[in-house]
Amino acid sequence: MAHFAASLTDSRIRQVRAADKPIKLADGGGMHLLVWPDGSRHWRLDYRFEGTRKTLALGFYPEVTLAEARRRRRTAKTMLAEGRDPAVELMRNAGQPVAGVRVVDSLREAAGPKHGVSQAPWRTLLLQTIAAVNQMFLADLSEQELMSRICGELVRDKLFSMAWIGLVNEDGTVHAVADAGFEAGHLAEAKIRCDDTPQGRGPTGTAIRLGSTVICDDAETSEHFELRREKAGPHFYRSSAATPLRVNGRVVGALNVYGKEAYAFEPEKMVLLEKLAADLGTAMGHRSALAALRESEERFRLVSSIATDLLYSCEKIGDGSLVVDWATASAGRVFGFSVEEILERGCWRCHVHRDDLPEFDRNITYLEPGRRSECELRIIGRDGSMRHIRAYSRAVETEGGQYRLYGACQDITDRKRAEEALRESEARFRAMADHSADWIWSVDTQGRHTYSNKKGGSVLGYSLEDFLAADPTSLVHPDDLPLYQETLRNARATRSGWQGVGMRWQHRDSSYRTFESSASPLFNEAGELIGFQGVDRDITERRHAEERVEFLAHHDALTGLPNRILLRDRFEHAIAMAERSRSRVAMLFLDLDKFKRVNDTLGHAGGDLLLLEVVTCLGRCTRETDTISRQGGDEFIVLLNDIPDPEAVERIADEILERLGDPVEINGHVLNTSCSIGITLYPEDGNDFDDLLQKADIAMYNAKDAGRNTWRFFNDQMNQQAHEHLLLLNRLHQAVYRSEFRLDYQPQLEIGTGRVVGVEALLRWHNGELGEVGPARFIPVAEDCGLIVPIGAWVLQEACRQAQSWRQAGFPDLTMSVNLSALQFRRAGLAETVAGVLCSSGLPPHLLELELTESVLLQDVENNLDMVRRLKALGVRLSIDDFGTGYSSLSYLKRFAVDRLKIDRSFMRDINSDPDDAAIVRAVIQLASSLRLGIIAEGVETVEQLDFLRAERCQEVQGHLFSRALTPSDLELFLHDRTHH
């Protein structure tokens, strides 16, 4: 070993080259740099502790610099001064076992008793083993077989009891690639690692991790090896050594040997073991380099044989021309001629397009030695096609003065075609971009426009030049400028684009257009972000439409007033304010009276104008803090905030009625309108929006029932009426399907003879829950909901069926009187229904009498007259029910061809005591006699009433004096009794 004792410098360290033997460069203070034959360099520190000489590894050079090594030396000297062993402290800090283990990094051992053992046999065996291993290096063995033989040599002649070689995996585990002296599978079960874990703190892991030889002098006495000693069984050892394997200066594994005796690893033995490990590492590196070289050569041969580009060489002959003497097999793909043909011709100049020959001669034929050239040429193939190549050439002059040229030809035909296609594509893109309806643009990383199609400038009223020169931040809406800057900043930070960002840009006329922007990043060939490109779509009209849709979602389209959704929100705010101020909130439900007539007369356009006038009127009657809402049609809701008392609401309601009563002119027509108002109060009538609205609606209908053009506050009686109405409505729907209706019949008698001449069909309803429900209760509800039509059809069908059944049973012919409601009479198809009933029942038409009220006939006279004529054409009779309670017009009696009048029971009640009622009845009887109409009085309950009617020559009567309404069976008994008496 060579020794250098002068103080070290970095320059001196770099000048020292590795030799066949280790070189020791001393720096003083016991520290030296050990240069191994493989080129690796290790810092070592020799010191004495408690009378024992030891060596401490300080790291590898240049990872550990000269200055850092000296700092570590000072640290170790400080530990020694404090009575601490630096090697022990190093292993403790590294998480390594201490007892029984030492780290050895020198070529001579510094610790351990000699026990008087002769070293000569061990040295001889080791030298023989090293010699045998060196012979193995020269043999053509695989790496696996080489390592297996090395392990076998180490345990041969009982040099060591066991040996194995481990290599490090990427996950930190150490796998045994070769071993000797172990039972199969023992090392795999050990699960050895080289990281700072319990499995990595053994001699092997420590040697790999620290890059230093690790010796266990006596495992029998080491507490650290107690668990391993119990599990080792036949593989237990007294001492061991693990030295790292380095390939090209990098630790890749460890060589591990074991002895049966304690303190089996003397210094000289360790020197030879470390040399063996170093030689093995050198051999592994050499084999790896050789394999890489072979792989590279094979790869070159493979690439050159399948490459699409041509590689060739030429030599210059006596006449100065170049002759191709070598070329790759790809010549056929480039030129269309085989390699043999190219070599036979000697030069490929003859294949060059004639226009490119000057370029060929300049860059290839006359290329001077030591120069390089590149050029693009066109060549003509065997089939006459033209291809583009890029030729790379280099001329050299050999040591013998020979001129040679080496070249490569790259087929760039596809690239040329792609470039041409790209140019055409770019031209098409620009044409499409210029005609695109969207704004297509690109900007640099600062947001300055580098390109824009024509749309970008024109949509904002600028020329393209002016637009590109403008500062984008001066065109973006001030409110959107933070969004613009944040979007650009995030895009730069994330090197990505953005999607669907909406911003407003200023037009030249100072208006703003809204654009929806999407962009992607632009990178240069080096992968650097250079800007963004994107498309902006003008969504100004769409945004206006969206805003309109949003407005209409909460407002009425005609008036612009809040709809119910927004009104509900305003109501919640009003309630919150009322709770804080301890005031009231009033809800006014307004419905215009007879608004349908305006639509029918002036059309819906005229009706809309009237509604707008109503809105103006309501606005004058309310405060800015109040809310006016249109619910649809001619219904409005007025929400009054901060109401001190109900009297304030009354004043506002009276003002609304008064202002609405003022005449307005609509399309040349002067109109007077009115409304009915229902009023509810918070908190008296409830605190829920829907509840108060429902109650206000009920109060409004009560105002209409009171004659319209008035207002009503909600009260409990209205609530009861509404509940009863709803209850009856629900039960009526069920009654139709459950057949809960029946018909009773009240006899009609001739005064002179007492003979029964007819019956009136009277509808009755018995409900299992409500019991017997009077007609006065359920008939208005049925008319209101429209159920009176199917109910009336059933009544007509059942009455005719019953009348015909009595005829077939032998009873005398009786006129069947059936009441028709106004809704039933106005529905289309009444005549057809009556005809169908008469046909299905078989009842003669003259025995059916349809009773109508005066008010029914006087509404829509012309249409009603047509219906009456159609009914009369069927042969049925018509009578006017409750005559005298309505208009009692004489003209319509003639026009409608009525057959009989019925005196209302309200006149009969006081006929003997009230002269007015007597006069009216007398006049009606005389009118019927004069017009030759039948006459009947209903509600006759006393003999005095009957005597009055007989004296006035009334023809027929009905009432409780003779009989109440009877069931069909009871009526049959009544008829039987009247016939026999």
Side-chain angles (χ1 to χ4, degrees), residues 52 54 98-104 109-113 115 203 214-222 225 236-242 259-267 270:
T52 302
K54 295 186 177 183
V98 175
V101 177
R102 37 195 185 101
V103 180
V104 178
E109 178 58 64
H115 297 286
V214 175
I215 298 174
C216 172
D217 285 324
D218 191 352
E220 183 69 33
T221 60
S222 173
F225 291 95
F236 182 69
Y237 50 86
R238 289 292 300 273
S239 59
S240 67
K260 293 292 187 179
E261 300 83 13
Y263 298 97
F265 297 97
E266 295 82 359
M270 290 311 305

Coordinates of all heavy atoms in Angstrom, one line a residue, residues 52 54 98-104 109-113 115 203 214-222 225 236-242 259-267 270:
T52 N -7.4 0.4 23.1 CA -7.6 -0.4 21.9 C -7.6 0.5 20.7 O -8.2 1.6 20.7 CB -9.0 -1.1 21.9 OG1 -9.0 -1.9 23.1 CG2 -9.2 -1.9 20.7
K54 N -8.6 1.6 17.0 CA -9.8 1.5 16.2 C -9.8 2.4 15.0 O -9.0 3.3 14.9 CB -11.1 1.8 17.0 CG -11.3 0.9 18.2 CD -12.7 1.2 18.8 CE -12.9 0.2 19.9 NZ -14.3 0.4 20.5
V98 N -25.2 -2.1 18.7 CA -23.9 -1.7 19.2 C -23.1 -2.9 19.7 O -22.0 -3.2 19.3 CB -24.0 -0.6 20.3 CG1 -22.7 -0.3 20.9 CG2 -24.7 0.6 19.7
A99 N -23.7 -3.6 20.6 CA -23.0 -4.6 21.3 C -22.5 -5.7 20.4 O -23.3 -6.3 19.6 CB -23.8 -5.3 22.4
G100 N -21.2 -6.1 20.4 CA -20.6 -7.1 19.6 C -20.4 -6.8 18.2 O -20.1 -7.7 17.4
V101 N -20.6 -5.6 17.7 CA -20.5 -5.2 16.3 C -19.4 -4.1 16.2 O -19.4 -3.2 17.0 CB -21.8 -4.8 15.7 CG1 -21.6 -4.4 14.3 CG2 -22.8 -5.9 15.8
R102 N -18.6 -4.2 15.2 CA -17.7 -3.1 14.9 C -17.7 -2.8 13.5 O -17.9 -3.7 12.6 CB -16.3 -3.4 15.4 CG -15.8 -4.8 15.3 CD -14.6 -5.1 16.1 NE -14.2 -6.4 15.7 CZ -13.2 -6.7 14.9 NH1 -12.5 -5.7 14.4 NH2 -12.9 -7.9 14.6
V103 N -17.4 -1.5 13.2 CA -17.3 -1.1 11.8 C -15.9 -1.0 11.4 O -15.1 -0.3 12.1 CB -18.0 0.3 11.6 CG1 -17.9 0.7 10.2 CG2 -19.5 0.2 12.0
V104 N -15.4 -1.6 10.4 CA -14.0 -1.7 10.0 C -13.9 -1.1 8.6 O -14.6 -1.5 7.7 CB -13.5 -3.1 10.0 CG1 -12.0 -3.1 9.5 CG2 -13.6 -3.7 11.4
E109 N -7.0 -4.4 10.8 CA -7.9 -4.4 11.9 C -7.3 -3.7 13.0 O -6.2 -3.8 13.3 CB -8.3 -5.9 12.3 CG -9.2 -6.0 13.4 CD -10.5 -5.3 13.1 OE1 -11.2 -5.7 12.2 OE2 -10.8 -4.3 13.8
A110 N -8.2 -2.9 13.7 CA -7.7 -2.1 14.8 C -8.2 -2.6 16.2 O -7.9 -2.1 17.2 CB -8.1 -0.6 14.7
A111 N -8.9 -3.7 16.2 CA -9.4 -4.2 17.5 C -9.6 -5.7 17.4 O -9.7 -6.3 16.3 CB -10.8 -3.5 17.8
G112 N -9.8 -6.3 18.6 CA -10.1 -7.7 18.6 C -8.9 -8.5 19.1 O -7.8 -8.4 18.6
P113 N -9.0 -9.4 20.0 CA -7.9 -10.3 20.5 C -7.5 -11.3 19.5 O -8.2 -11.7 18.7 CB -8.5 -10.9 21.8 CG -10.0 -11.0 21.5 CD -10.3 -9.7 20.7
H115 N -5.9 -14.2 20.3 CA -6.0 -15.5 20.9 C -5.0 -16.5 20.5 O -5.2 -17.7 20.4 CB -7.4 -16.1 20.6 CG -8.5 -15.3 21.1 ND1 -8.9 -15.3 22.4 CD2 -9.4 -14.4 20.5 CE1 -9.9 -14.5 22.7 NE2 -10.2 -14.0 21.5
P203 N -25.7 -6.9 10.3 CA -24.4 -6.6 9.6 C -24.5 -6.3 8.1 O -23.9 -5.4 7.6 CB -23.6 -7.8 9.9 CG -24.2 -8.4 11.1 CD -25.7 -8.1 11.0
V214 N -18.6 -4.4 8.1 CA -19.2 -4.6 9.4 C -18.8 -6.0 9.9 O -19.1 -7.0 9.2 CB -20.7 -4.3 9.4 CG1 -21.2 -4.6 10.8 CG2 -21.0 -2.9 9.0
I215 N -18.2 -6.0 11.1 CA -17.8 -7.3 11.7 C -18.5 -7.5 13.0 O -18.6 -6.6 13.8 CB -16.2 -7.3 12.0 CG1 -15.5 -7.2 10.6 CG2 -15.8 -8.6 12.7 CD1 -14.0 -7.0 10.8
C216 N -19.0 -8.8 13.2 CA -19.5 -9.2 14.5 C -18.5 -10.2 15.1 O -18.3 -11.3 14.5 CB -20.9 -9.9 14.3 SG -21.5 -10.6 15.8
D217 N -17.8 -9.7 16.2 CA -16.8 -10.5 16.7 C -17.3 -11.8 17.5 O -16.7 -12.8 17.4 CB -15.9 -9.7 17.7 CG -15.0 -8.8 16.9 OD1 -14.5 -9.2 15.8 OD2 -14.8 -7.6 17.3
D218 N -18.4 -11.6 18.2 CA -18.9 -12.7 19.0 C -20.4 -12.6 19.1 O -20.9 -11.8 20.0 CB -18.3 -12.7 20.4 CG -18.6 -14.1 21.1 OD1 -19.4 -14.8 20.6 OD2 -18.0 -14.3 22.2
A219 N -21.2 -13.3 18.4 CA -22.6 -13.2 18.4 C -23.2 -13.9 19.6 O -24.3 -13.6 20.1 CB -23.2 -13.9 17.2
E220 N -22.3 -14.8 20.3 CA -22.8 -15.5 21.4 C -23.1 -14.6 22.6 O -24.0 -14.8 23.4 CB -21.8 -16.6 21.8 CG -22.2 -17.5 23.0 CD -23.3 -18.4 22.6 OE1 -23.4 -18.8 21.4 OE2 -24.1 -18.7 23.5
T221 N -22.2 -13.6 22.7 CA -22.3 -12.7 23.9 C -23.1 -11.4 23.6 O -23.3 -10.6 24.4 CB -20.9 -12.3 24.4 OG1 -20.2 -11.7 23.3 CG2 -20.2 -13.6 24.8
S222 N -23.5 -11.3 22.3 CA -24.2 -10.0 22.0 C -25.7 -10.1 22.2 O -26.4 -11.1 21.7 CB -24.0 -9.7 20.5 OG -24.8 -8.6 20.1
F225 N -28.1 -10.1 19.2 CA -28.3 -11.3 18.4 C -29.0 -12.4 19.1 O -29.1 -13.5 18.6 CB -26.9 -11.8 17.9 CG -26.2 -10.9 16.9 CD1 -25.3 -10.0 17.3 CD2 -26.5 -11.0 15.6 CE1 -24.7 -9.2 16.4 CE2 -25.9 -10.2 14.6 CZ -25.0 -9.3 15.0
F236 N -26.4 -21.0 13.2 CA -25.9 -20.0 14.1 C -24.4 -20.0 14.0 O -23.7 -20.9 13.6 CB -26.2 -20.4 15.6 CG -25.7 -19.4 16.5 CD1 -26.3 -18.1 16.6 CD2 -24.7 -19.6 17.4 CE1 -25.9 -17.1 17.4 CE2 -24.2 -18.6 18.2 CZ -24.8 -17.4 18.3
Y237 N -23.9 -18.8 14.1 CA -22.4 -18.5 14.0 C -22.0 -17.7 15.1 O -22.7 -17.0 15.8 CB -22.2 -17.7 12.6 CG -23.1 -16.5 12.5 CD1 -22.7 -15.3 13.1 CD2 -24.3 -16.6 11.9 CE1 -23.5 -14.2 13.0 CE2 -25.2 -15.5 11.8 CZ -24.8 -14.3 12.3 OH -25.6 -13.2 12.2
R238 N -20.6 -17.7 15.4 CA -20.0 -17.0 16.5 C -19.5 -15.6 16.0 O -19.5 -14.6 16.7 CB -18.8 -17.7 17.1 CG -19.3 -19.0 17.9 CD -20.0 -18.5 19.1 NE -19.2 -17.7 20.0 CZ -18.4 -18.2 21.0 NH1 -18.2 -19.5 21.1 NH2 -17.7 -17.3 21.7
S239 N -19.1 -15.6 14.7 CA -18.7 -14.3 14.1 C -19.0 -14.2 12.7 O -19.3 -15.2 12.0 CB -17.1 -14.2 14.3 OG -16.5 -15.2 13.6
S240 N -19.1 -12.9 12.2 CA -19.5 -12.7 10.8 C -18.8 -11.4 10.3 O -18.4 -10.6 11.1 CB -21.0 -12.6 10.7 OG -21.4 -11.4 11.3
A241 N -18.8 -11.3 9.0 CA -18.3 -10.1 8.3 C -19.1 -9.8 7.1 O -19.4 -10.8 6.3 CB -16.8 -10.3 8.0
A242 N -19.4 -8.6 6.9 CA -20.2 -8.2 5.7 C -19.5 -7.0 5.1 O -19.2 -6.0 5.8 CB -21.6 -7.8 6.1
G259 N -18.2 -17.4 10.5 CA -17.2 -18.3 11.1 C -17.8 -18.9 12.4 O -18.7 -18.3 13.0
K260 N -17.4 -20.2 12.7 CA -17.9 -20.9 13.8 C -17.2 -20.4 15.1 O -17.8 -20.6 16.2 CB -17.6 -22.4 13.7 CG -18.4 -23.0 12.6 CD -19.9 -23.1 12.9 CE -20.6 -23.9 11.8 NZ -22.1 -24.0 12.1
E261 N -16.0 -19.8 15.0 CA -15.3 -19.3 16.2 C -15.5 -17.8 16.3 O -15.8 -17.1 15.4 CB -13.8 -19.6 16.1 CG -13.5 -21.1 15.9 CD -13.6 -21.5 14.5 OE1 -13.7 -20.7 13.6 OE2 -13.7 -22.8 14.2
A262 N -15.4 -17.3 17.6 CA -15.4 -15.9 17.8 C -14.1 -15.3 17.4 O -13.1 -15.9 17.3 CB -15.7 -15.6 19.3
Y263 N -14.1 -14.0 17.1 CA -13.0 -13.2 16.6 C -12.2 -13.9 15.5 O -11.0 -14.1 15.5 CB -12.0 -13.0 17.8 CG -12.7 -12.2 18.9 CD1 -13.2 -12.8 20.0 CD2 -12.7 -10.8 18.9 CE1 -13.8 -12.1 21.0 CE2 -13.3 -10.1 19.9 CZ -13.9 -10.7 21.0 OH -14.5 -10.0 21.9
A264 N -13.0 -14.4 14.5 CA -12.4 -15.1 13.4 C -11.9 -14.2 12.3 O -11.3 -14.7 11.4 CB -13.5 -16.1 12.8
F265 N -12.1 -12.9 12.4 CA -11.8 -12.0 11.3 C -10.7 -11.1 11.7 O -10.9 -10.0 12.2 CB -13.0 -11.3 10.8 CG -14.1 -12.2 10.3 CD1 -15.2 -12.6 11.1 CD2 -14.1 -12.7 9.0 CE1 -16.1 -13.4 10.6 CE2 -15.0 -13.5 8.5 CZ -16.1 -13.9 9.3
E266 N -9.4 -11.6 11.5 CA -8.2 -10.8 11.7 C -8.1 -9.8 10.7 O -8.7 -9.8 9.6 CB -7.0 -11.7 11.8 CG -7.0 -12.7 13.0 CD -7.8 -13.9 12.6 OE1 -8.3 -14.0 11.5 OE2 -7.8 -14.8 13.5
P267 N -7.2 -8.8 10.9 CA -7.1 -7.7 9.9 C -6.7 -8.1 8.6 O -7.2 -7.7 7.6 CB -6.0 -6.8 10.6 CG -6.1 -7.1 12.1 CD -6.5 -8.5 12.2
M270 N -9.4 -9.7 6.7 CA -10.4 -8.7 6.2 C -9.8 -8.0 5.0 O -10.6 -7.6 4.1 CB -10.7 -7.7 7.3 CG -11.5 -8.2 8.4 SD -12.9 -9.2 7.8 CE -13.7 -7.9 6.8

